[in-house]
Amino acid sequence: MSKFVVIGITDMPHPNLNREAIQHIAKSRFFSGGIRHKALIQDFLPENAEWINITVPLTDVFDQYRQIDETIVVIASGDPLFYGIGNTIKREFPEAELLVYPAHNSLQLLAHHYQLEYGKMHIATLTGRDWPEIDLPLIRGEQMIGVLTDRQKTPKTIAQYLLDYGFDNYDCYLGEKLGGPNQKCQKLSIAELLEVDFVHPNCMILVQNKPIIRQFGIPDQAFQTLDGRPKMMTKSLIRLASLSSLQLDSASVLWDVGYCTGSVSIEAKQAFPKLKVIAFEKRTESDTIIRNNMKTFHVPGIDIYNGDFFEQDIEVLAAPDRIFIGGHGGKLSEMMQKLHALLKPNGCIVFNAVSDETISTFKESALELGMQLEKSSRIQLDDFNPIEILKATKIM
Protein backbone atom coordinates (compact mmCIF):
# COMPACT_ATOMS: atom_id res chain seq x y z
CA MET A 1 0.00 0.00 0.00
CA SER A 2 1.30 3.46 -0.93
CA LYS A 3 2.30 5.98 1.71
CA PHE A 4 2.40 9.73 1.18
CA VAL A 5 3.95 12.39 3.37
CA VAL A 6 2.67 15.78 2.24
CA ILE A 7 4.62 18.77 3.54
CA GLY A 8 3.31 22.30 3.17
CA ILE A 9 5.76 25.20 2.81
CA THR A 10 5.57 28.93 2.17
CA ASP A 11 7.70 30.82 -0.37
CA MET A 12 10.46 31.55 2.15
CA PRO A 13 13.86 30.60 0.66
CA HIS A 14 14.68 28.35 3.65
CA PRO A 15 11.45 26.69 4.83
CA ASN A 16 11.02 26.35 8.58
CA LEU A 17 10.22 22.63 8.78
CA ASN A 18 9.48 20.73 11.97
CA ARG A 19 11.65 17.84 13.09
CA GLU A 20 9.31 15.08 11.91
CA ALA A 21 9.05 16.53 8.42
CA ILE A 22 12.84 16.81 8.16
CA GLN A 23 13.21 13.17 9.28
CA HIS A 24 10.76 11.98 6.60
CA ILE A 25 12.71 13.87 3.94
CA ALA A 26 16.07 12.48 5.13
CA LYS A 27 15.01 8.82 4.95
CA SER A 28 13.03 9.02 1.69
CA ARG A 29 14.08 8.66 -1.93
CA PHE A 30 11.03 9.74 -3.94
CA PHE A 31 9.83 13.33 -3.91
CA SER A 32 7.24 15.28 -5.85
CA GLY A 33 6.06 18.87 -6.27
CA GLY A 34 6.30 21.86 -8.53
CA ILE A 35 9.57 23.19 -9.94
CA ARG A 36 9.29 26.13 -7.54
CA HIS A 37 8.89 23.75 -4.60
CA LYS A 38 12.00 21.80 -5.58
CA ALA A 39 14.09 24.96 -5.62
CA LEU A 40 12.86 25.96 -2.16
CA ILE A 41 13.40 22.52 -0.59
CA GLN A 42 16.63 21.62 -2.42
CA ASP A 43 18.92 21.97 0.62
CA PHE A 44 16.92 19.35 2.54
CA LEU A 45 16.92 16.68 -0.19
CA PRO A 46 19.22 13.62 0.15
CA GLU A 47 21.78 12.92 -2.57
CA ASN A 48 19.79 10.01 -4.03
CA ALA A 49 16.56 11.97 -4.31
CA GLU A 50 14.36 11.34 -7.34
CA TRP A 51 11.93 14.15 -8.15
CA ILE A 52 8.57 13.83 -9.92
CA ASN A 53 7.32 17.18 -11.22
CA ILE A 54 3.65 17.85 -10.58
CA THR A 55 2.29 19.04 -13.92
CA VAL A 56 -0.99 18.68 -15.76
CA PRO A 57 -2.46 16.34 -16.64
CA LEU A 58 -2.24 14.97 -13.12
CA THR A 59 -3.17 11.50 -14.36
CA ASP A 60 0.38 11.17 -15.73
CA VAL A 61 1.79 12.13 -12.32
CA PHE A 62 -0.44 9.62 -10.53
CA ASP A 63 0.60 6.88 -12.96
CA GLN A 64 4.20 7.49 -11.87
CA TYR A 65 3.15 7.38 -8.21
CA ARG A 66 1.53 3.97 -8.77
CA GLN A 67 4.84 2.51 -9.98
CA ILE A 68 6.51 3.32 -6.64
CA ASP A 69 6.30 0.96 -3.69
CA GLU A 70 7.97 3.32 -1.22
CA THR A 71 7.00 6.45 0.67
CA ILE A 72 6.52 9.48 -1.58
CA VAL A 73 7.17 12.89 -0.02
CA VAL A 74 5.06 15.56 -1.71
CA ILE A 75 5.97 19.22 -1.25
CA ALA A 76 3.00 21.59 -1.51
CA SER A 77 2.12 25.22 -0.95
CA GLY A 78 0.58 26.19 2.39
CA ASP A 79 -1.95 23.74 3.78
CA PRO A 80 -2.19 20.70 1.44
CA LEU A 81 -5.76 20.03 2.63
CA PHE A 82 -6.89 23.59 1.88
CA TYR A 83 -8.01 23.14 -1.75
CA GLY A 84 -4.64 21.48 -2.26
CA ILE A 85 -2.87 18.38 -3.51
CA GLY A 86 -3.57 16.54 -0.25
CA ASN A 87 -7.27 16.30 -1.10
CA THR A 88 -6.49 15.08 -4.61
CA ILE A 89 -4.20 12.34 -3.29
CA LYS A 90 -6.95 11.23 -0.87
CA ARG A 91 -9.39 10.89 -3.76
CA GLU A 92 -6.95 9.10 -6.08
CA PHE A 93 -5.40 6.83 -3.45
CA PRO A 94 -8.16 6.23 -0.88
CA GLU A 95 -6.37 3.23 0.66
CA ALA A 96 -3.00 4.96 1.02
CA GLU A 97 -1.52 6.05 4.34
CA LEU A 98 -1.32 9.83 4.42
CA LEU A 99 0.62 12.14 6.75
CA VAL A 100 0.24 15.91 6.40
CA TYR A 101 2.48 18.67 7.77
CA PRO A 102 0.75 21.96 6.89
CA ALA A 103 2.01 25.52 6.70
CA HIS A 104 -0.23 28.59 6.71
CA ASN A 105 -2.27 28.89 3.54
CA SER A 106 -2.17 32.06 1.43
CA LEU A 107 -5.44 33.50 2.73
CA GLN A 108 -4.28 33.02 6.31
CA LEU A 109 -1.03 34.82 5.54
CA LEU A 110 -2.94 37.71 3.96
CA ALA A 111 -5.35 37.89 6.90
CA HIS A 112 -2.41 37.86 9.34
CA HIS A 113 -0.79 40.75 7.46
CA TYR A 114 -3.89 42.94 7.88
CA GLN A 115 -4.99 41.42 11.22
CA LEU A 116 -8.35 40.39 9.78
CA GLU A 117 -10.70 38.18 11.79
CA TYR A 118 -10.65 35.42 9.22
CA GLY A 119 -12.74 32.97 11.23
CA LYS A 120 -15.73 34.73 9.65
CA MET A 121 -14.38 34.33 6.11
CA HIS A 122 -16.28 32.44 3.40
CA ILE A 123 -13.90 30.79 0.93
CA ALA A 124 -14.55 31.08 -2.82
CA THR A 125 -12.00 29.24 -4.92
CA LEU A 126 -11.90 30.26 -8.57
CA THR A 127 -8.76 28.20 -9.18
CA GLY A 128 -9.81 26.05 -12.12
CA ARG A 129 -13.47 26.67 -11.30
CA ASP A 130 -16.22 28.86 -12.67
CA TRP A 131 -18.10 31.87 -11.34
CA PRO A 132 -20.80 30.06 -9.28
CA GLU A 133 -18.15 29.61 -6.58
CA ILE A 134 -18.25 33.34 -5.86
CA ASP A 135 -21.90 33.96 -6.85
CA LEU A 136 -23.14 32.20 -3.72
CA PRO A 137 -21.35 34.34 -1.09
CA LEU A 138 -22.01 37.53 -3.06
CA ILE A 139 -25.77 36.96 -3.24
CA ARG A 140 -25.82 35.90 0.40
CA GLY A 141 -24.06 39.12 1.30
CA GLU A 142 -21.14 37.48 3.12
CA GLN A 143 -19.17 40.13 5.02
CA MET A 144 -15.77 38.59 4.26
CA ILE A 145 -14.91 36.48 1.21
CA GLY A 146 -11.52 34.87 0.64
CA VAL A 147 -10.91 34.43 -3.09
CA LEU A 148 -8.39 32.00 -4.58
CA THR A 149 -7.45 33.06 -8.11
CA ASP A 150 -5.75 31.52 -11.14
CA ARG A 151 -4.34 32.78 -14.43
CA GLN A 152 -7.80 33.10 -16.01
CA LYS A 153 -9.76 34.29 -12.97
CA THR A 154 -7.32 37.07 -12.10
CA PRO A 155 -7.87 39.97 -9.69
CA LYS A 156 -8.63 42.14 -12.72
CA THR A 157 -11.23 39.80 -14.28
CA ILE A 158 -12.78 39.19 -10.87
CA ALA A 159 -13.07 42.94 -10.27
CA GLN A 160 -14.78 43.40 -13.63
CA TYR A 161 -17.20 40.58 -12.81
CA LEU A 162 -18.07 42.19 -9.49
CA LEU A 163 -18.70 45.56 -11.12
CA ASP A 164 -20.82 43.95 -13.86
CA TYR A 165 -23.31 43.02 -11.13
CA GLY A 166 -22.99 46.15 -9.02
CA PHE A 167 -20.81 44.71 -6.25
CA ASP A 168 -18.73 47.79 -5.52
CA ASN A 169 -19.51 47.47 -1.81
CA TYR A 170 -16.34 45.57 -0.91
CA ASP A 171 -12.81 46.63 -0.09
CA CYS A 172 -10.18 44.30 -1.50
CA TYR A 173 -7.04 43.09 0.26
CA LEU A 174 -4.72 41.75 -2.44
CA GLY A 175 -1.72 39.58 -1.63
CA GLU A 176 1.00 38.50 -4.08
CA LYS A 177 3.76 35.92 -3.54
CA LEU A 178 2.68 35.57 0.08
CA GLY A 179 5.07 34.04 2.58
CA GLY A 180 8.20 34.86 0.61
CA PRO A 181 10.77 37.65 0.34
CA ASN A 182 8.88 39.25 -2.55
CA GLN A 183 5.53 39.35 -0.75
CA LYS A 184 3.38 42.35 -1.65
CA CYS A 185 0.07 43.36 -0.05
CA GLN A 186 -2.32 46.16 -1.01
CA LYS A 187 -5.73 47.42 0.09
CA LEU A 188 -7.77 48.61 -2.92
CA SER A 189 -11.29 49.43 -3.99
CA ILE A 190 -12.90 47.14 -6.56
CA ALA A 191 -12.54 49.85 -9.22
CA GLU A 192 -8.85 50.31 -8.37
CA LEU A 193 -8.26 46.59 -8.95
CA LEU A 194 -8.89 47.19 -12.66
CA GLU A 195 -5.86 49.48 -12.85
CA VAL A 196 -3.36 47.38 -10.88
CA ASP A 197 -0.64 45.16 -12.29
CA PHE A 198 -0.02 41.99 -10.30
CA VAL A 199 2.05 38.83 -10.29
CA HIS A 200 1.20 35.18 -9.62
CA PRO A 201 0.50 33.53 -7.29
CA ASN A 202 -1.99 35.86 -5.64
CA CYS A 203 -5.21 35.82 -3.65
CA MET A 204 -7.74 38.32 -2.34
CA ILE A 205 -9.90 38.95 0.69
CA LEU A 206 -13.06 40.97 0.06
CA VAL A 207 -14.42 42.83 3.09
CA GLN A 208 -17.87 44.37 2.84
CA ASN A 209 -17.99 48.10 3.56
CA LYS A 210 -21.78 48.42 3.20
CA PRO A 211 -24.55 45.84 2.80
CA ILE A 212 -26.81 45.40 -0.19
CA ILE A 213 -30.44 45.53 0.97
CA ARG A 214 -32.49 42.76 -0.61
CA GLN A 215 -36.24 42.33 -0.73
CA PHE A 216 -38.15 39.09 -1.18
CA GLY A 217 -40.89 40.11 -3.55
CA ILE A 218 -39.06 42.67 -5.69
CA PRO A 219 -41.42 45.55 -6.64
CA ASP A 220 -42.63 45.30 -10.23
CA GLN A 221 -41.76 48.93 -10.98
CA ALA A 222 -38.11 48.27 -10.11
CA PHE A 223 -37.65 45.98 -13.13
CA GLN A 224 -36.71 47.20 -16.58
CA THR A 225 -39.43 45.96 -18.92
CA LEU A 226 -40.01 45.65 -22.66
CA ASP A 227 -40.48 49.03 -24.34
CA GLY A 228 -44.17 49.87 -24.45
CA ARG A 229 -45.17 46.55 -22.86
CA PRO A 230 -44.91 46.96 -19.07
CA LYS A 231 -47.53 44.23 -18.50
CA MET A 232 -45.25 41.61 -20.12
CA MET A 233 -43.89 40.46 -16.78
CA THR A 234 -44.92 38.00 -14.09
CA LYS A 235 -46.22 40.32 -11.37
CA SER A 236 -44.80 40.19 -7.85
CA LEU A 237 -47.62 38.35 -6.05
CA ILE A 238 -48.05 35.89 -8.94
CA ARG A 239 -44.28 35.46 -9.07
CA LEU A 240 -44.03 34.61 -5.38
CA ALA A 241 -46.96 32.21 -5.56
CA SER A 242 -45.38 30.50 -8.56
CA LEU A 243 -42.02 30.20 -6.79
CA SER A 244 -43.81 28.73 -3.79
CA SER A 245 -45.45 26.13 -6.05
CA LEU A 246 -42.04 25.22 -7.48
CA GLN A 247 -40.74 24.34 -3.98
CA LEU A 248 -37.24 25.56 -4.79
CA ASP A 249 -35.82 24.86 -1.35
CA SER A 250 -35.36 21.22 -2.40
CA ALA A 251 -34.43 21.93 -6.04
CA SER A 252 -31.08 21.95 -7.83
CA VAL A 253 -31.81 23.18 -11.39
CA LEU A 254 -34.58 25.55 -12.50
CA TRP A 255 -35.45 26.21 -16.13
CA ASP A 256 -37.31 29.48 -16.76
CA VAL A 257 -38.77 29.13 -20.24
CA GLY A 258 -39.85 32.50 -21.65
CA TYR A 259 -38.06 34.73 -19.12
CA CYS A 260 -39.00 38.06 -20.81
CA THR A 261 -37.62 40.49 -18.16
CA GLY A 262 -36.01 37.82 -16.01
CA SER A 263 -38.19 38.55 -12.97
CA VAL A 264 -38.83 34.88 -12.08
CA SER A 265 -35.19 33.85 -12.64
CA ILE A 266 -33.86 36.77 -10.62
CA GLU A 267 -36.30 36.33 -7.74
CA ALA A 268 -35.52 32.59 -7.64
CA LYS A 269 -31.73 33.02 -7.73
CA GLN A 270 -31.80 35.77 -5.11
CA ALA A 271 -33.85 33.64 -2.70
CA PHE A 272 -31.99 30.38 -3.44
CA PRO A 273 -28.42 31.29 -4.47
CA LYS A 274 -27.30 27.63 -4.64
CA LEU A 275 -29.92 26.99 -7.32
CA LYS A 276 -28.69 26.69 -10.90
CA VAL A 277 -30.99 28.83 -13.04
CA ILE A 278 -31.19 28.52 -16.82
CA ALA A 279 -33.35 31.08 -18.62
CA PHE A 280 -34.72 30.89 -22.18
CA GLU A 281 -36.34 33.65 -24.25
CA LYS A 282 -37.28 34.03 -27.90
CA ARG A 283 -37.12 37.86 -27.94
CA THR A 284 -33.53 38.94 -28.55
CA GLU A 285 -34.18 42.36 -26.97
CA SER A 286 -34.80 40.61 -23.66
CA ASP A 287 -31.12 39.70 -23.39
CA THR A 288 -30.15 43.28 -22.54
CA ILE A 289 -33.15 43.65 -20.25
CA ILE A 290 -32.42 40.59 -18.09
CA ARG A 291 -28.75 41.50 -17.83
CA ASN A 292 -29.61 45.05 -16.75
CA ASN A 293 -32.05 43.67 -14.18
CA MET A 294 -29.44 41.21 -12.90
CA LYS A 295 -27.06 44.12 -12.33
CA THR A 296 -29.75 46.28 -10.73
CA PHE A 297 -30.62 43.58 -8.22
CA HIS A 298 -27.05 42.26 -7.83
CA VAL A 299 -27.93 38.72 -8.95
CA PRO A 300 -25.19 37.00 -11.01
CA GLY A 301 -25.15 33.37 -12.07
CA ILE A 302 -28.16 33.01 -14.39
CA ASP A 303 -27.38 31.15 -17.64
CA ILE A 304 -29.16 32.86 -20.54
CA TYR A 305 -30.19 31.33 -23.87
CA ASN A 306 -31.88 33.46 -26.51
CA GLY A 307 -33.73 32.38 -29.65
CA ASP A 308 -36.47 29.91 -30.50
CA PHE A 309 -36.69 27.37 -27.68
CA PHE A 310 -37.53 24.59 -30.11
CA GLU A 311 -34.24 25.18 -31.92
CA GLN A 312 -32.09 25.12 -28.75
CA ASP A 313 -29.80 22.17 -28.08
CA ILE A 314 -31.25 21.70 -24.61
CA GLU A 315 -30.12 18.08 -24.23
CA VAL A 316 -26.57 19.26 -23.40
CA LEU A 317 -27.73 21.47 -20.51
CA ALA A 318 -28.09 20.53 -16.85
CA ALA A 319 -31.35 18.58 -16.58
CA PRO A 320 -34.03 20.43 -14.59
CA ASP A 321 -35.95 19.26 -11.58
CA ARG A 322 -38.07 22.42 -11.68
CA ILE A 323 -39.49 24.21 -14.73
CA PHE A 324 -41.44 27.46 -14.97
CA ILE A 325 -43.16 28.16 -18.27
CA GLY A 326 -43.52 31.90 -18.75
CA GLY A 327 -44.15 31.76 -22.50
CA HIS A 328 -44.87 29.07 -25.04
CA GLY A 329 -45.48 30.84 -28.38
CA GLY A 330 -48.71 28.96 -28.98
CA LYS A 331 -46.94 25.59 -28.75
CA LEU A 332 -47.70 24.63 -25.16
CA SER A 333 -48.42 20.97 -25.88
CA GLU A 334 -45.22 20.53 -27.92
CA MET A 335 -43.24 22.38 -25.25
CA MET A 336 -44.60 20.15 -22.50
CA GLN A 337 -43.48 17.05 -24.40
CA LYS A 338 -39.99 18.47 -24.97
CA LEU A 339 -39.61 19.52 -21.35
CA HIS A 340 -41.05 16.33 -19.88
CA ALA A 341 -38.42 14.26 -21.67
CA LEU A 342 -35.63 16.02 -19.75
CA LEU A 343 -37.39 16.73 -16.46
CA LYS A 344 -35.96 14.65 -13.60
CA PRO A 345 -38.24 12.13 -11.84
CA ASN A 346 -40.38 13.82 -9.15
CA GLY A 347 -39.63 17.16 -10.78
CA CYS A 348 -42.43 19.56 -11.61
CA ILE A 349 -43.62 22.09 -14.17
CA VAL A 350 -45.45 25.26 -13.10
CA PHE A 351 -47.40 27.32 -15.62
CA ASN A 352 -49.45 30.50 -15.26
CA ALA A 353 -52.49 30.27 -17.52
CA VAL A 354 -54.58 33.27 -18.56
CA SER A 355 -57.29 31.53 -20.60
CA ASP A 356 -59.52 28.46 -20.38
CA GLU A 357 -57.88 27.18 -23.55
CA THR A 358 -54.35 27.15 -22.08
CA ILE A 359 -55.66 25.67 -18.81
CA SER A 360 -57.17 22.78 -20.77
CA THR A 361 -54.08 22.36 -22.94
CA PHE A 362 -51.75 22.20 -19.92
CA LYS A 363 -53.91 19.70 -18.06
CA GLU A 364 -54.50 17.48 -21.09
CA SER A 365 -50.80 17.49 -22.01
CA ALA A 366 -49.76 16.68 -18.46
CA LEU A 367 -52.15 13.74 -18.23
CA GLU A 368 -51.11 12.41 -21.63
CA LEU A 369 -47.50 12.44 -20.40
CA GLY A 370 -48.46 10.51 -17.29
CA MET A 371 -47.87 13.45 -14.97
CA GLN A 372 -49.73 14.09 -11.74
CA LEU A 373 -51.76 17.30 -11.67
CA GLU A 374 -51.53 19.21 -8.40
CA LYS A 375 -54.18 21.51 -6.97
CA SER A 376 -54.20 24.83 -8.84
CA SER A 377 -54.63 28.37 -7.50
CA ARG A 378 -56.42 31.34 -9.08
CA ILE A 379 -55.30 34.90 -8.39
CA GLN A 380 -56.61 38.19 -9.79
CA LEU A 381 -54.72 41.46 -9.39
CA ASP A 382 -56.50 44.78 -9.88
CA ASP A 383 -57.91 44.98 -13.43
CA PHE A 384 -55.71 42.19 -14.79
CA ASN A 385 -57.22 38.94 -16.02
CA PRO A 386 -57.31 36.12 -13.44
CA ILE A 387 -54.19 33.92 -13.41
CA GLU A 388 -54.45 30.15 -12.89
CA ILE A 389 -51.25 28.76 -11.35
CA LEU A 390 -51.00 25.17 -12.58
CA LYS A 391 -48.57 22.49 -11.51
CA ALA A 392 -47.80 19.01 -12.78
CA THR A 393 -45.31 16.53 -11.28
CA LYS A 394 -43.39 13.90 -13.19
CA ILE A 395 -44.04 10.50 -11.64
CA MET A 396 -41.06 8.14 -11.39
Side-chain angles (χ1 to χ4, degrees):
M1 184 174 65
S2 300
K3 178 178 179 179
F4 292 91
V5 176
V6 188
I7 301 172
I9 62 173
T10 67
D11 275 1
M12 290 301 293
H14 302 285
N16 183 20
L17 303 179
N18 68 31
R19 182 181 301 175
E20 288 185 9
I22 293 173
Q23 289 174 347
H24 281 294
I25 292 173
K27 66 183 181 182
S28 298
R29 183 160 65 99
F30 294 98
F31 298 85
S32 189
I35 295 174
R36 176 171 58 91
H37 297 135
K38 184 179 181 182
L40 291 169
I41 208 79
Q42 186 69 53
D43 291 345
F44 292 90
L45 296 178
E47 291 185 4
N48 66 339
E50 297 185 30
W51 187 272
I52 301 170
N53 280 325
I54 294 180
T55 56
V56 292
L58 288 176
T59 51
D60 293 344
V61 178
F62 297 147
D63 285 342
Q64 293 181 68
Y65 288 176
R66 290 187 176 93
Q67 304 304 313
I68 299 170
D69 197 27
E70 300 178 32
T71 297
I72 302 173
V73 177
V74 179
I75 309 300
S77 295
D79 183 347
L81 296 178
F82 184 75
Y83 300 100
I85 189 67
N87 298 310
T88 308
I89 290 173
K90 285 177 64 178
R91 287 195 299 270
E92 287 291 320
F93 302 87
E95 304 300 322
E97 182 181 348
L98 178 67
L99 291 176
V100 176
Y101 297 92
H104 287 121
N105 65 61
S106 59
L107 289 174
Q108 286 177 313
L109 292 170
L110 182 56
H112 293 163
H113 181 84
Y114 286 105
Q115 300 179 18
L116 300 175
E117 190 179 350
Y118 67 86
K120 299 179 178 179
M121 183 163 57
H122 179 103
I123 309 301
T125 175
L126 294 175
T127 306
R129 306 189 190 189
D130 216 337
W131 296 112
E133 295 291 325
I134 198 170
D135 292 340
L136 178 62
L138 288 172
I139 295 173
R140 282 180 171 173
E142 296 287 351
Q143 294 184 355
M144 185 182 295
I145 307 172
V147 186
L148 299 174
T149 66
D150 64 16
R151 292 184 182 274
Q152 283 70 49
K153 303 291 193 307
T154 67
K156 207 168 275 191
T157 58
I158 294 167
Q160 187 60 63
Y161 185 81
L162 294 175
L163 294 175
D164 285 345
Y165 294 100
F167 291 105
D168 58 354
N169 61 321
Y170 284 90
D171 294 319
C172 175
Y173 296 86
L174 173 64
E176 306 163 69
K177 290 188 172 295
L178 292 163
N182 298 316
Q183 172 176 299
K184 181 180 179 182
C185 298
Q186 305 175 74
K187 180 183 177 182
L188 305 158
S189 69
I190 302 301
E192 287 172 336
L193 267 179
L194 295 175
E195 309 300 326
V196 171
D197 292 324
F198 50 86
V199 295
H200 294 280
N202 56 65
C203 65
M204 305 188 301
I205 297 177
L206 304 176
V207 179
Q208 192 179 94
N209 54 47
K210 61 180 178 180
I212 287 174
I213 306 302
R214 296 191 179 276
Q215 181 176 350
F216 183 59
I218 301 171
D220 296 334
Q221 62 271 20
F223 284 94
Q224 180 183 340
T225 58
L226 287 166
D227 287 343
R229 305 186 73 179
K231 294 185 178 182
M232 288 288 292
M233 180 178 69
T234 304
K235 300 301 183 287
S236 180
L237 290 178
I238 305 294
R239 187 163 65 244
L240 295 184
S242 299
L243 293 176
S244 177
S245 293
L246 285 164
Q247 296 178 304
L248 296 175
D249 55 328
S250 58
S252 57
V253 180
L254 167 68
W255 283 14
D256 178 8
V257 184
Y259 67 75
C260 192
T261 64
S263 63
V264 170
S265 290
I266 290 168
E267 193 88 65
K269 186 70 175 178
Q270 176 181 261
F272 303 94
K274 284 188 176 181
L275 184 69
K276 183 174 182 62
V277 180
I278 302 176
F280 305 87
E281 176 55 55
K282 186 174 183 177
R283 298 178 183 85
T284 55
E285 62 268 32
S286 286
D287 183 75
T288 299
I289 293 171
I290 189 174
R291 294 183 191 279
N292 288 344
N293 285 329
M294 288 167 67
K295 181 172 183 177
T296 297
F297 303 115
H298 315 283
V299 179
I302 298 172
D303 296 343
I304 302 167
Y305 294 87
N306 295 306
D308 191 333
F309 178 78
F310 293 93
E311 296 177 3
Q312 300 279 353
D313 188 12
I314 61 175
E315 287 79 7
V316 302
L317 303 178
D321 49 12
R322 301 292 188 273
I323 297 171
F324 176 76
I325 299 178
H328 53 83
K331 297 180 180 180
L332 181 57
S333 181
E334 296 94 323
M335 181 174 286
M336 289 280 288
Q337 293 178 34
K338 193 174 180 70
L339 292 171
H340 180 269
L342 295 176
L343 181 64
K344 294 178 182 177
N346 297 318
C348 67
I349 300 175
V350 170
F351 171 61
N352 295 339
V354 295
S355 69
D356 292 339
E357 180 183 357
T358 52
I359 291 173
S360 296
T361 301
F362 181 88
K363 290 182 175 180
E364 291 169 4
S365 299
L367 292 174
E368 288 174 2
L369 293 166
M371 301 183 77
Q372 177 178 305
L373 285 169
E374 311 292 347
K375 185 178 178 180
S376 64
S377 302
R378 176 167 287 209
I379 301 176
Q380 181 167 5
L381 299 175
D382 303 325
D383 58 345
F384 292 96
N385 292 328
I387 300 291
E388 191 86 12
I389 300 176
L390 301 165
K391 178 179 178 179
T393 301
K394 183 174 183 177
I395 301 173
M396 291 184 64

